[in-house]
Amino acid sequence: MPANTLQLFTGVPNCGFSAAITAANTAKDGTGTTSLIFTANATYGSRVDRIRAQALGTNVASVARIFINNGGSPATASNNVLYANFSLPATTGTETAGLVPAEVPNNATIVDSTAFPIALPPGYRIYVCIGTAVASGWQFVATGGDFNIAA
């Protein structure tokens, strides 16, 4: 089989997001209460460039956990891997100042040499959860693109 000699570009943007997440999930294996935020293209896969968490008001400090899932049930631990986790600060909602989002930076090492962007095989998914219950919630968004192989 010949090696791939062509660069691979995304052809269609892909963006996914969660509803407000307020419930704690202390499982470190991707099981329990998680929210799906990204699904890779079923034919060619996708690339995730950024994951951002936005506080929706007043919250205690917590941690965000990002799991890559192989397309199977997230209730089965062997289908998930903890890809990254990062601190979510305590926040105070106000009507006079914006809340700064927490983000896994693009091309930056966060935990255990994890970095973005990442390429996902066809059908893989990304789930997120938080480690501590919060009052107002966090909303997560993942942005990237679907690969498009055209001859």
Side-chain angles (χ1 to χ4, degrees), residues 13 25 79 85 97 110 119 131:
N25 180 357
N79 290 335
N85 61 111
I110 298 298

Side-chain angles (χ1 to χ4, degrees), residues 33-107:
T33 304
T34 59
S35 292
L36 174 66
I37 63 166
F38 193 90
T39 301
N41 176 279
T43 304
Y44 300 117
S46 301
R47 184 181 74 208
V48 179
D49 294 318
R50 174 178 289 172
I51 294 179
R52 175 179 277 188
Q54 179 64 56
L56 300 176
T58 301
N59 294 309
V60 298
S62 189
V63 63
R65 295 190 180 96
I66 301 168
F67 298 93
I68 296 175
N69 170 276
N70 66 7
S73 170
T76 303
S78 61
N79 290 335
N80 311 309
V81 63
L82 178 61
Y83 180 72
N85 61 111
F86 59 99
S87 298
L88 298 173
T91 58
T92 302
T94 176
E95 301 310 316
T96 59
L99 293 170
V100 177
E103 185 172 325
V104 178
N106 203 11
N107 293 321

